[in-house]
Amino acid sequence: MSLISPWRADFPALDALERQGQTYLDSAATAQKPQALIDALAHYYANGAANVHRAQHLPGALATQAFEDTRHKAAEWLHAGACGQVVFTHGATSAFNLLACGLEHLFQTGDEIVISALEHHANLLPWQQLAKRRGLKLVVLPLTAQGVIDLDAARNLIGSRTRLLAVSQLSNVLGTWQPVAPLIALAKAHGAFTVIDGAQGVVHGRHDVQALDCDFYVFSSHKLYGPDGVGVLFGRHQALAQLRPWQFGGEMVLQTDYHHATFRPAPLGFEAGTPPVSGVIGLGATLDYLNDVNHLAAAEHEANLHALLRAGLVLREGVQLVGEPEVALVSFVIDGVHNADLAHLLTEQGIAVRAGHHCAIPLINTLGLSGAIRVSLGIYNDSDDLERFFNALDQALELLR
Amino acid sequence: MNLPEPARTAVETFGTSLSWEQRARLLMQWGDRLPAMADDEKTDEHLVDGCESKVWLLADVIDGHWQFRAASDARLIRGLVALLLARVNGLSAQDLEQVDLPDWFNQLGLSRHLSPSRSNGLNAVLQKMRQLAG
Ligand SMILES: Cc1ncc(COP(=O)(O)O)c(C=O)c1O
């Protein structure tokens, strides 16, 4: 079966990578960029860069307009409606750090923060360190054998001491959708804040933060085919109002003398200093592009590719999939073969996949692994990419065995 | 600087144009020829931090000349470490400071084939050697 991506031609890097003999299967780490984004960046820089919000001149007004337009587009992408707004950060990681600092004053010794066993370091370490600073308990929700957060266990672990729940929507290692809606409901029933790590989830399917009912939803532009250096933090109005500023400087201040200051509310109060103007404008162009992509067709293409990937892997002797991946990516190990050796030989053959712990060391240890190889997909991949991967895999295994 | 004998052999072997399969086979051969390390020597204390796969490193000094022994649970890494040992074994602590890792793997024609994480790992091995000899 040949699966052709009608979107591949929209991403010039795919051609360029092919000319360099590279097959890109690492989109979960970062995605390639559509021509529409490249054009928007070139246009912005070629037609007049300017700082946003503070300038009185025309270039400043145009940049501010494009910047604020992206804020609306990002909110629309998440179906935020009127329930909240978007704060721009420098990435998902900085958004989690913002939250862990901005909410710190609300925690008291003995309060509990609930995360899950599969969290990326970005949604683990800021909470772990906050817990250390404030004498809080970090509660880790266990997983089922399928690689999904165990809801039964969660019912017992989320309780009256829970002040915050922070979980991933889609695992970057296991490729499994997580039951975020029931988890959010459980946490809300106890009056806890809810934070969703949408870094992977946002790339696969459209989500609705109103229906999810979370307080915060976080993602990185660069995984959603946008520029790097930009993160999106959606927050509900009531939740944003409880955040304290975490970084101080230009733009976020209302009034100051040498000794005292007052600060702006969200979003600007959390965007100290010059934001990534070009990146945000580029994200806007990417979202325009993605809005023109037929979502059903894209989801179907991704699902077909994923099925092909899974089926091809399990056909091969000794392959063990990590969990029961549902979309976007498959992680695997091979009996008797060190994943560093396999990664080396795949790299030698121009296959760009990810090997190692995938920034989730506690999860990899919990699974009893020393690492895994992850193959991840974007809308531009096609069945030829997978065929090249499988050929390379077979060659590598022949050499290693 | 004069290269030690094993290093010259390595340059002769790897310095020619090789297919990726030949390169991989040679690396595995070099790795397999490393003297075995006893299991009780593979302790956490001897692990090199900063490698993706496990690398253990032990050092001895005879008359001011350093001799390292290394092991890894990954075969190609073992081969790369063997190539590093070929370059450094027998050097004085002072000469060890002069070893230019990128240059060495460049002479072997391998630098293009090392991922950033692999180069960092090898660099961590060299740093640990210097620390042990320091
Ligand atoms: C699930 C998940 N959360 C968070 C992050 C962190 O994203 P960034 O490195 O862009 O801040 C990643 C990216 O690797 C991820 O996969």
Side-chain angles (χ1 to χ4, degrees):
Chain A
M1 182 176 47
S2 179
L3 297 170
I4 293 163
S5 164
W7 305 284
R8 195 175 177 97
D10 302 336
F11 293 80
L14 269 289
D15 242 5
L17 287 165
E18 211 166 310
R19 287 195 299 277
Q20 299 161 49
Q22 294 294 313
T23 299
Y24 194 75
L25 291 167
D26 195 18
S27 294
T30 201
Q32 301 303 325
K33 314 306 175 197
Q35 186 65 47
L37 152 58
I38 300 165
D39 290 345
L41 286 180
H43 183 271
Y44 169 69
Y45 282 128
N47 285 276
N51 215 323
V52 288
H53 301 131
R54 33 191 116 166
Q56 287 78 33
H57 43 66
L58 181 69
L62 292 176
T64 304
Q65 182 68 45
F67 186 91
E68 290 302 318
D69 281 350
T70 302
R71 202 187 296 282
H72 292 290
K73 288 172 194 171
E76 271 168 28
W77 183 260
L78 299 173
H79 293 285
C83 79
Q85 55 185 329
V86 160
V87 173
F88 289 118
T89 67
H90 295 279
T93 301
S94 75
F96 292 116
N97 281 286
L98 183 167
L99 290 175
C101 287
L103 295 171
E104 176 162 352
H105 65 283
L106 299 172
F107 288 89
Q108 255 122 51
T109 311
D111 284 349
E112 296 182 358
I113 294 177
V114 177
I115 59 164
S116 87
L118 55 72
E119 297 312 319
H120 187 282
H121 295 162
N123 190 34
L124 159 65
L125 299 177
W127 307 120
Q128 176 199 82
Q129 295 302 310
L130 169 61
K132 276 190 190 287
R133 287 198 300 276
R134 285 263 156 169
L136 315 177
K137 185 170 167 204
L138 192 68
V139 174
V140 183
L141 301 178
L143 309 179
T144 66
Q146 286 71 41
V148 174
I149 299 170
D150 186 334
L151 273 179
D152 288 333
R155 273 184 209 99
N156 293 323
L157 290 168
I158 296 174
S160 56
R161 313 217 70 162
T162 306
R163 290 289 287 137
L164 182 136
L165 167 84
V167 288
S168 276
Q169 184 179 31
L170 174 62
S171 164
N172 67 311
V173 176
L174 304 164
T176 42
W177 290 110
Q178 301 304 317
V180 284
L183 287 169
I184 291 166
L186 275 173
K188 288 245 142 160
H190 295 284
F193 284 100
T194 53
V195 179
I196 300 301
D197 177 354
Q200 298 293 337
V202 75
V203 189
H204 304 281
R206 294 296 300 268
H207 308 289
D208 183 329
V209 290
Q210 293 181 78
L212 277 176
D213 203 23
C214 54
D215 293 312
F216 299 104
Y217 186 100
V218 169
F219 71 89
S220 273
S221 152
H222 70 93
K223 293 185 202 276
L224 186 60
Y225 310 105
D228 41 34
V230 179
V232 168
L233 166 63
F234 158 82
R236 281 182 182 267
H237 295 304
Q238 309 88 298
L240 287 171
Q242 302 202 54
L243 282 175
R244 290 221 177 130
W246 75 307
Q247 289 182 338
F248 301 88
E251 208 54 52
M252 52 81 64
V253 70
L254 266 178
Q255 270 308 331
T256 185
D257 58 28
Y258 284 114
H259 302 289
H260 305 278
T262 53
F263 306 111
R264 290 182 191 278
L268 294 189
F270 300 93
E271 295 176 1
T274 299
V277 180
S278 63
V280 168
I281 292 173
L283 173 61
T286 303
L287 292 174
D288 288 341
Y289 166 77
L290 291 174
N291 277 319
D292 285 341
V293 165
N294 178 330
H295 292 289
L296 293 178
E300 190 185 329
H301 177 69
E302 285 190 9
N304 289 337
L305 275 180
H306 191 258
L308 201 64
L309 173 59
R310 263 194 80 148
L313 277 171
V314 296
L315 264 182
R316 273 137 181 109
E317 201 192 316
V319 170
Q320 313 277 353
L321 301 191
V322 181
E324 290 281 339
E326 295 170 290
V327 276
L329 60 93
V330 178
S331 297
F332 66 95
V333 293
I334 298 189
D335 294 339
V337 174
H338 197 291
N339 68 73
D341 286 335
L342 189 53
H344 186 103
L345 295 184
L346 291 173
T347 303
E348 280 272 27
Q349 298 175 79
I351 305 295
V353 295
R354 187 76 179 271
H357 53 59
H358 312 289
C359 297
I361 293 177
L363 170 63
I364 293 292
N365 290 343
T366 301
L367 295 169
L369 302 172
S370 62
I373 308 260
R374 180 183 71 188
V375 181
S376 59
L377 306 167
I379 52 171
Y380 36 66
N381 286 119
D382 58 23
S383 51
D384 283 353
D385 292 332
L386 292 184
E387 205 163 296
R388 282 193 287 271
F389 161 68
F390 284 125
N391 284 337
L393 178 63
D394 290 340
Q395 302 257 12
L397 290 179
E398 202 178 303
L399 254 167
L400 287 169
R401 275 176 171 159
Chain B
M1 187 204 283
N2 274 340
L3 287 179
E5 173 66 31
R8 264 177 282 148
T9 313
V11 172
E12 278 160 28
T13 314
F14 284 88
T16 56
S17 83
L18 299 169
S19 71
W20 71 269
E21 285 115 318
Q22 289 169 320
R23 204 158 43 234
R25 285 214 177 81
L26 281 171
L27 271 180
M28 289 194 280
Q29 278 171 17
W30 275 68
D32 290 344
R33 285 206 304 255
L34 275 187
M37 190 181 277
D39 279 344
D40 62 5
E41 291 177 313
K42 294 182 182 171
T43 58
D44 283 354
E45 181 196 346
H46 297 142
L47 266 181
V48 180
D49 287 329
C51 289
E52 265 179 283
S53 36
K54 289 188 169 155
V55 176
W56 294 270
L57 185 70
L58 289 164
D60 284 313
V61 63
I62 304 162
D63 293 339
H65 297 284
W66 285 89
Q67 287 292 334
F68 297 96
R69 286 188 297 133
S72 169
D73 51 354
R75 294 169 69 189
L76 290 148
I77 310 289
R78 199 150 65 218
L80 291 167
V81 171
L83 288 171
L84 178 57
L85 292 184
R87 176 69 184 81
V88 301
N89 267 344
L91 296 186
S92 64
Q94 204 182 355
D95 287 343
L96 201 55
E97 287 298 328
Q98 307 303 318
V99 171
D100 181 339
L101 191 75
D103 179 64
W104 172 234
F105 282 95
N106 202 23
Q107 284 187 54
L108 296 170
L110 289 172
S111 41
R112 271 193 329 115
H113 306 280
L114 293 181
S115 63
S117 59
R118 202 83 353 124
S119 303
N120 289 342
L122 286 165
N123 199 37
V125 177
L126 180 60
Q127 294 309 329
K128 174 124 183 177
M129 288 171 168
R130 287 176 175 155
Q131 198 188 322
L132 290 170

